[in-house]
Amino acid sequence: EVSTPWQLLSEVAMAWAETDPEEAAKWVLQLPKVKGRVWAIRFLACVWTRKNSEAAASWVKKLEGEDRTAAEKGVAEAPNTH
């Protein structure tokens, strides 16, 4: 199966979030405002919330607009956080 560029961005964000979510967050916010950025933010937030919900929530609060909406969706999708 061939991945689209936005899927690849999401996969990188998720993998990086497993080891260093703060650096992954810096990287993701430097991406151009394209579909892939929104998905990468969403998946990063999901993984980060699962690992450290307080740190992830603090990051989400700093975001604005579609970045924040995407991150909030990721937080809501994280397992064992409700």
Side-chain angles (χ1 to χ4, degrees):
E1 179 179 324
V2 177
S3 294
T4 64
W6 68 267
Q7 287 171 318
L8 292 174
L9 291 175
S10 297
E11 290 171 16
V12 169
M14 287 189 325
W16 202 348
E18 288 288 349
T19 59
D20 193 345
E22 292 88 357
E23 287 301 313
K26 289 178 189 176
W27 171 76
V28 114
L29 294 177
Q30 293 177 8
L31 294 172
K33 293 207 177 226
V34 296
K35 182 178 182 179
R37 174 187 164 121
V38 172
W39 282 98
I41 289 171
R42 183 174 179 168
F43 287 116
L44 165 63
C46 183
V47 172
W48 197 352
T49 298
R50 189 176 32 116
K51 294 180 65 62
N52 184 337
S53 61
E54 289 181 18
S58 176
W59 177 67
V60 171
K61 288 178 185 174
K62 297 174 187 173
L63 302 176
E64 298 178 352
E66 68 180 5
D67 291 347
R68 186 169 185 158
T69 300
E72 288 171 342
K73 287 179 181 176
V75 168
E77 293 166 349
N80 303 318
T81 60
H82 317 310

